Structures are given as structure tokens and as C-alpha cells.
Amino acid sequence: MAGGGFCRLPNGTVVVALTLTRPSGGTGPGTSPGAPVRVLVHAANRARALTRLRNLGLRAVYLRGNDRPPTPDEITAVLHHPDGLLWRAAPQAGQELWHPIRALLGPAGYAGPARPAA
């Protein structure tokens, strides 16, 4: 993992920022598969933030250290989004806006392997 960190807010919740490689199944704008993306998660604590990402199929997500915590602009962006999950290309090119997480994961909304039909 290239970098990540967290910031505890006054109300006790946290914002976790991670730089991850883009899933190969994603169809979102602006980046190719395998390119780094910056992902922001708002949750009750760090463990729940990572669990939210793992439940979407991003299994190898770990937060080791606090070397790249979210900036104040990133915190504002994730707090104003109803899902509390955002991403954009890293490093940022120009004035790229934040995208909802489902734009990164593709039409199925899941980054993991395809599930067999029941």
C-alpha cells in the first residue's frame, strides 16, 4: 500500500484515507486498471472503515501507520457525501472531482471475483 492515514473528528468518528490500486473490474472515469486511487471512508472507528471496504470486495486493505492522513478538503468532501465513501485518481490530475465508490467498483458494485449464479 502506498499510503494512508486517519483523522479522528470531534464527534468521535473517523475519516480514513487510503491510496489503493484500482480494481481491474472497475469502470469508473479517469484511470486505468491498476492505477492508484485515493479512497476516503467515514465510519465510527478505523476497524469499521476498513470493514466497509472489505465488504465491497477490496480484501487486502490495511491501515499501517498514519503517514498520509486525510487533508481538511478530503474530510469535508467525505462528510458531505451521503454514502461516506469516495475516491479519485491519485495523484490528482487537474481539478478532478470525487466519485462515489460504486463508480470505482463497476456495475455490480463489488470489486471481488464474479459470483456464480444461484
Side-chain angles (χ1 to χ4, degrees):
M1 184 173 75
F6 70 96
C7 180
R8 185 167 305 278
L9 303 177
N11 65 358
T13 61
V14 297
V15 174
V16 173
L18 298 167
T19 303
L20 306 171
T21 56
R22 180 185 172 94
S24 59
T27 59
T31 59
S32 61
V37 294
R38 182 82 164 166
V39 178
L40 301 176
V41 184
H42 180 230
N45 56 46
R46 286 181 289 170
R48 286 191 183 185
L50 297 177
T51 299
R52 288 186 73 185
L53 291 173
R54 290 180 186 134
N55 287 342
L56 293 171
L58 300 169
R59 298 291 181 202
V61 176
Y62 298 98
L63 181 61
R64 294 188 178 113
N66 199 17
D67 61 337
R68 293 206 44 217
T71 64
D73 290 339
E74 291 176 334
I75 293 170
T76 301
V78 76
L79 289 179
H80 284 87
H81 193 271
D83 294 339
L85 275 163
L86 298 173
W87 72 276
R88 73 175 167 196
Q92 182 185 359
Q95 294 293 327
E96 182 182 2
L97 299 175
W98 289 97
H99 308 284
I101 197 72
R102 64 187 160 272
L104 177 67
L105 302 177
Y110 179 72
R115 295 181 181 175

